[in-house]
Amino acid sequence: MSYWASRVTGVEGELRRAAFGDLLAPPAVLLAAPDSARSRLLAAIVSGAQGRYAAAATWLGELGRGADPVLAALALTTLASHRRQLGGHAAALRLDARALRLASGAGGGEDPDGLDGRGAFVDALLGLAADNLGTGRLSAARRLLAAAAPLASGWRARVRTGWVTAEIELASGRPEAAGAPAEAALELATAASACRHVIKSQLVLAAALIAAGAPARAEELVSAALAEAEKFELRSLAWPGALLAGQLWPSASRYRFRVDAVLHAVLLRSDAEGRILARESAWVPV
């Protein structure tokens, strides 16, 4: 029996499997009106992965103002990740900083996917590292990553640590040092049957391989990631994957068209702030 088949029960379980497991795009009814705060958080995570940022922002804004510090911190780090996906690293930094304050000293039980106090704290540290990286503060990004890495005990935190480590090494002009953490992230995500995290890990590793001058395996990874992103309707990963494909196969104009088409669909489903961030960002080709 698979990791997820042994765990999923009820609406919250289905949403959790869509957020962190191997469930294809869940029925719309699951995303329409989640009946608990944790279910709304999971629905927002799923919606953001699909590029439905406006719907996600509504739930996350409410949860981020809630009385539960752990759920509020997790909501803020999730919203921050959505802002980063649209190129808004400075806006994400403010959200992650608020999340870090809320999660500092937060208690509560352990969650298998890191939806707990420790997980929220590590999420905020890793988010701040990514925010600082995106705004050109490489030294600060390294310090924050160094603070987060020893605390990253769950599978999801360790996968994200691998991503951020690889991205920092790439930004430092050290692609050979980016490969190992990206490989580790892919192995962990695969072992957890976390399809969304597998796809992101494939793209991070492909970027490291392209930078290191090893395009053959990168082509395999990008092809697999794009196929799975389409299958799972993950627009937030489909357009970065198509950008990488455009680097690997520059004569294939279909990838440039795919980037435009997916981003157009994403921006139509984004809130006003998200659209502004994307249009002002040097990272998002709109």
Side-chain angles (χ1 to χ4, degrees), residues 40 44 52-65 79 271:
R40 288 193 290 278
R52 298 172 61 246
Y53 292 121
T58 299
W59 288 316
L60 295 172
E62 172 198 332
L63 291 168
R65 296 186 295 270
L79 183 56
D271 59 308

Side-chain angles (χ1 to χ4, degrees), residues 102-118:
L102 286 169
S104 298
E110 293 187 4
D111 182 272
D113 301 310
L115 302 184
D116 51 38
R118 183 188 184 97

Side-chain angles (χ1 to χ4, degrees), residues 4 7-23 26 30 35-36 38-39 42 46 113:
W4 284 100
R7 289 180 44 198
V8 172
T9 57
V11 171
E12 183 177 320
E14 290 285 292
L15 287 169
R16 186 181 284 260
R17 183 178 163 200
F20 302 125
D22 58 0
L23 182 66
L30 293 182
D35 59 358
S36 70
R38 189 170 290 267
S39 290
L42 291 165
V46 175
D113 301 310

Side-chain angles (χ1 to χ4, degrees), residues 57-210:
T58 299
W59 288 316
L60 295 172
E62 172 198 332
L63 291 168
R65 296 186 295 270
D68 185 325
V70 173
L71 277 178
L74 289 166
L76 290 168
T77 59
T78 302
L79 183 56
S81 73
H82 296 172
R83 296 311 191 207
R84 275 195 304 278
Q85 288 163 16
L86 292 174
H89 294 81
L93 191 149
R94 294 189 290 272
L95 294 165
D96 281 322
R98 286 170 55 196
L100 188 68
R101 288 193 294 271
L102 286 169
S104 298
E110 293 187 4
D111 182 272
D113 301 310
L115 302 184
D116 51 38
R118 183 188 184 97
F121 187 73
V122 174
D123 277 354
L125 284 172
L126 291 171
L128 285 167
D131 301 332
N132 277 277
L133 178 60
T135 52
R137 301 179 180 95
L138 192 56
S139 296
R142 286 192 179 278
R143 289 195 297 272
L144 288 157
L145 174 63
L151 303 175
S153 56
W155 73 266
R156 189 171 63 84
R158 288 187 291 153
V159 168
R160 295 189 68 227
T161 298
W163 294 345
V164 177
T165 304
E167 288 163 355
I168 287 175
E169 297 299 348
L170 283 171
S172 302
R174 290 162 37 92
E176 70 287 347
E183 288 274 15
L186 180 55
E187 291 175 7
L188 286 163
T190 301
S193 300
C195 292
R196 180 166 59 91
H197 293 73
V198 168
I199 296 167
K200 172 72 180 284
S201 299
Q202 289 171 323
L203 296 178
V204 172
L205 179 54
L209 291 168
I210 293 169

